[in-house]
């Protein structure tokens, strides 16, 4: 929380390839990895309904400076 506002992350990770079976899907996660999708540009922070929205990179930068 920053100044009493909760923080939400606007970054999503999507698996590159999926398999229908759970144990095989775990192996595919390691092999093919993930795609990271940022819904907000770097350095942008939005305040919506009392919640701060930012991407993960911006949050890590904030934590270093505080």
């Amino acid at each position: 929380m920053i100044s009493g506002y909760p923080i939400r992350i606007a970054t999503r990770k999507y698996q590159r390839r999926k398999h229908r079976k759970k144990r095989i899907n775990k192996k595919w996660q390691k092999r093919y990895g993930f795609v990271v999708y940022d819904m907000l540009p770097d350095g942008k922070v939005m305040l919506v309904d009392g919640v701060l929205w930012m991407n993960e990179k911006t949050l890590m930068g904030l934590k270093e400076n505080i």
Side-chain angles (χ1 to χ4, degrees), residues 8 12-13 27 31 33 46 48-49 51 56 58 63:
R8 298 291 165 102
R12 298 281 183 237
K13 284 183 8 178
K27 295 174 185 176
R31 178 178 279 178
M46 292 179 58
V48 180
D49 295 330
V51 177
E56 196 169 356
T58 306
K63 285 185 177 180

Side-chain angles (χ1 to χ4, degrees), residues 11-56:
T11 301
R12 298 281 183 237
K13 284 183 8 178
Y14 295 104
Q15 193 173 333
R16 289 185 192 265
R17 292 180 75 174
K18 291 185 179 184
H19 194 275
R20 59 188 167 81
K21 292 190 176 179
K22 184 178 178 180
R23 81 182 161 81
I24 296 174
N25 194 44
K26 285 183 190 178
K27 295 174 185 176
W28 280 28
Q29 287 174 353
K30 281 185 177 179
R31 178 178 279 178
Y32 299 111
F34 293 89
V35 175
V36 177
Y37 176 70
D38 291 325
M39 295 178 210
L40 291 172
D42 290 342
K44 177 112 178 180
V45 178
M46 292 179 58
L47 179 63
V48 180
D49 295 330
V51 177
L52 287 172
W53 286 89
M54 62 184 77
N55 67 10
E56 196 169 356

